[in-house]
Amino acid sequence: MRLSRYFLPTLRETPKEAEIVSHRLMLRAGLIRQEAAGIYAWLPLGLRVLEKVNRIIREEQNRSGAIELLMPTIQSADLWRESGRYDAYGKEMLRIRDRQDREMLYGPTNEEMITEIFRAYVRSYKDLPLNLYHIQWKFRDEIRPRFGTMRSREFLMKDAYSFDLDRESARQSYNKMFVAYLRTFSRMGLKAIPMRADTGPIGGDLSHEFIILASTGESEVFGHADYLDFPVPSEDTNFDDHRALQNIVDRWTSLYAATSEMHDPAAFETVPADRRMSARGIEVGHIFYFGTKYSDPMGATVTGPDGQERPVHMGSYGIGPTRLVAAIIEASHDDQGIIWPAAVAPFDVAILNLKSGDAATDAASAELERAFAARGLDVLYDDREERPGAKFATADLIGVPWQVLVGPRSLAEGKVELKHRATGQRELVSLSEAPGRIVSGG
Ligand code: ATP
Ligand code: MG
């Protein structure tokens, strides 16, 4: 991609309305634009990151055995009357009337709709377990949308729904998602800690929020610092090995970790003082077993091996990709701008032609652009007629992991400079060597 022909509306000034660093940087780096309170357009650079985040989520959902579909954003009120939530949901639900005066709504979540789909097709335990997910826009009329896409009104959610014959197998489905979530956040360069969450009237211990630590987080969290060094389950984890998954979940729930709603100061006191961590956190995911809460009133039943019909046991599992983009920036930036973890970076490498219009730097930059592309790298070529200082500032702001500086002086010796955005380290390498030095993050 040539920057002169791209659409990258960066801002020099720090927008006044943005209170936290991720929101400021998302506006300044031209990732998003606010269109109404809590409603954002994703500009080309932001969309690239969002799609990389979604791809990681998909890969890990699929690996765990979940199956993707796509449900609509608009739902009928009648469906929600079946579960009793139409009246219960309150003002956060955006209610709409169509031209026939039918009551509709913009979905804040999809438990009712997935239950409706399930009951239309599935009758027998032999079709279980089943886990269906989609990545779709949601709308919640948040009383205080703020912090950009961190807490917006329209936001993207990956929501998965599991169906099992009984509580015991529902627990296995829950464990699969638990492990998939650990892998998902880790691949994005985040250290997410599962924290026990309130299960409401259902009880039990099958609800966890996945929290990343950040000083600007909205939740107050308490936990054992050892979690930060726990190894994340590997890519070859066998999701059909129930014992192995249970062991991973047991380990990741063995130490103290709680948000303020579930905090137990006495239990926290038993954590060794030097390992006691009390911090702010951002909820990036939430998993929940809720049994027959929807299947019972909505008549989603299956026949078991004994021939008896019973309501199916369900769980739901959410991740917020649009919130994650902001959370990743909160966790990875400096005074100059964003530092994307390689796996979610909008481009793998940026070429900075420090003297556009100069025959030698133009030719070398174009050659590098071709060589990087041939290696399957996403490359952004800053070919604008701008001062080097402006190019450095843009490249640092948008946070591409590698920069290749092509200037007349080093080029005279057949060299270009590689700069690693995260460490700031620079190194002169020969023009032919440069392409092989950069690896794609995803
Ligand atoms: P919160 O407690 O932050 O309001 P929630 O508990 O209402 O979130 P869930 O219903 O558990 O959210 O939604 C699943 C995921 O969707 C959350 O973990 C979060 O990543 C994302 N999410 C929820 N609300 C928003 C929002 N207003 N803006 C952006 N992402 C959101
Ligand atoms: Mg939640």
Side-chain angles (χ1 to χ4, degrees):
M1 182 63 64
R2 300 251 164 142
L3 191 46
S4 64
R5 294 180 220 154
Y6 197 44
F7 184 66
L8 181 64
T10 57
L11 306 176
R12 214 160 307 211
E13 305 299 317
T14 297
K16 279 192 291 297
E17 74 271 25
E19 297 169 62
I20 62 171
V21 67
S22 59
H23 189 194
R24 283 197 290 274
L25 287 173
M26 287 179 82
L27 293 170
R28 282 194 53 216
L31 267 55
I32 52 165
R33 171 152 186 92
Q34 183 174 318
E35 293 301 327
I39 299 180
Y40 291 86
W42 284 78
L43 303 177
L45 197 74
L47 183 59
R48 278 179 169 264
V49 178
L50 186 57
E51 285 184 341
K52 292 219 167 160
V53 165
N54 286 342
R55 194 170 88 196
I56 293 174
I57 293 172
R58 276 200 178 92
E59 284 174 6
E60 296 304 330
Q61 291 291 292
N62 296 349
R63 193 195 306 279
S64 77
I67 305 165
E68 187 170 10
L69 46 53
L70 183 59
M71 291 177 269
T73 54
I74 306 292
Q75 307 187 23
S76 99
D78 285 342
L79 194 54
W80 285 66
R81 290 202 171 93
E82 287 191 45
S83 70
R85 278 212 290 184
Y86 188 63
D87 295 323
Y89 213 92
K91 289 200 167 209
E92 276 199 5
M93 179 183 277
L94 179 64
R95 295 158 206 260
I96 307 164
R97 272 175 201 275
D98 70 10
R99 67 202 294 166
Q100 325 286 358
D101 218 25
R102 274 186 295 247
E103 289 171 280
M104 316 287 284
L105 57 100
Y106 195 119
T109 179
N110 282 65
E111 280 83 4
E112 283 78 0
M113 191 176 282
I114 201 76
T115 305
E116 188 283 322
I117 291 173
F118 179 90
R119 82 177 168 201
Y121 301 109
V122 185
R123 298 271 173 275
S124 161
Y125 75 96
K126 290 180 188 148
D127 296 322
L128 305 181
L130 181 65
N131 187 323
L132 299 171
Y133 77 96
H134 70 162
I135 300 180
Q136 178 62 292
W137 294 95
K138 305 289 186 286
F139 193 95
R140 292 181 187 173
D141 204 350
E142 298 272 357
I143 191 159
R144 245 196 109 196
R146 57 182 183 154
F147 302 157
T149 64
M150 192 78 87
R151 179 168 299 284
S152 48
R153 294 196 299 164
E154 189 186 45
F155 59 96
L156 203 54
M157 195 197 287
K158 182 289 298 179
D159 35 329
Y161 303 89
S162 66
F163 300 89
D164 283 279
L165 185 62
D166 52 30
R167 193 189 155 95
E168 191 39 45
S169 55
R171 160 149 225 143
Q172 289 163 12
S173 295
Y174 184 90
N175 289 350
K176 287 183 188 174
M177 283 291 119
F178 190 108
V179 172
Y181 275 36
L182 289 175
R183 287 192 43 77
T184 301
F185 300 125
S186 157
R187 283 185 62 190
M188 296 174 192
L190 297 171
K191 284 186 187 285
I193 304 175
M195 303 203 174
R196 207 166 139 171
D198 197 3
T199 47
I202 294 153
D205 57 356
L206 290 186
S207 178
H208 288 89
E209 291 179 347
F210 286 75
I211 305 272
I212 67 155
L213 304 181
S215 56
T216 49
E218 290 184 283
S219 319
E220 196 182 358
V221 302
F222 306 86
H224 197 302
D226 282 3
Y227 274 125
L228 297 171
D229 302 316
F230 271 19
V232 168
S234 72
E235 189 175 315
D236 52 22
T237 302
N238 179 359
F239 280 85
D240 294 319
D241 185 341
H242 300 317
R243 193 62 249 157
L245 291 196
Q246 188 64 54
N247 286 340
I248 296 170
V249 172
D250 288 347
R251 172 131 204 255
W252 277 88
T253 51
S254 60
L255 303 176
Y256 189 79
T259 60
S260 52
E261 294 100 67
M262 296 292 284
H263 185 46
D264 172 357
F268 189 47
E269 283 293 310
T270 66
V271 175
D274 64 332
R275 300 273 77 199
R276 237 175 266 158
M277 178 170 76
S278 119
R280 313 285 310 172
I282 300 169
E283 179 198 317
V284 287
H286 191 170
I287 62 177
F288 199 55
Y289 163 76
F290 47 73
T292 60
K293 182 174 173 193
Y294 301 94
S295 56
D296 203 6
M298 292 184 68
T301 59
V302 279
T303 310
D306 54 4
Q308 294 275 314
E309 248 186 69
R310 65 201 86 180
V312 69
H313 284 247
M314 294 174 59
S316 73
Y317 314 88
I319 292 182
T322 45
R323 175 178 290 181
L324 265 171
V325 174
I328 291 167
I329 297 173
E330 287 295 325
S332 186
H333 66 270
D334 63 14
D335 290 344
Q336 272 61 54
I338 303 168
I339 303 173
W340 292 115
V344 298
F347 293 97
D348 298 309
V349 54
I351 300 168
L352 280 58
N353 184 343
L354 301 183
K355 203 174 178 197
S356 290
D358 173 273
T361 62
D362 285 359
S365 299
E367 186 186 325
L368 283 171
E369 186 187 26
R370 274 191 303 274
F372 285 132
R375 288 174 168 264
L377 297 170
D378 283 332
V379 44
L380 181 68
Y381 170 18
D382 190 346
D383 60 337
R384 295 171 305 163
E385 296 196 355
E386 287 274 3
R387 291 171 297 104
K391 296 195 178 186
F392 294 141
T394 301
D396 281 352
L397 175 62
I398 66 172
V400 174
W402 291 96
Q403 299 170 17
V404 184
L405 318 183
V406 185
R409 218 172 310 146
S410 12
L411 198 58
E413 293 157 33
K415 301 211 158 146
V416 293
E417 205 169 359
L418 288 189
K419 178 180 161 189
H420 188 228
R421 174 68 181 87
T423 59
Q425 266 167 15
R426 291 162 170 245
E427 189 188 345
L428 274 174
V429 299
S430 72
L431 189 57
S432 57
E433 197 191 332
R437 293 290 305 276
I438 288 165
V439 284
S440 168

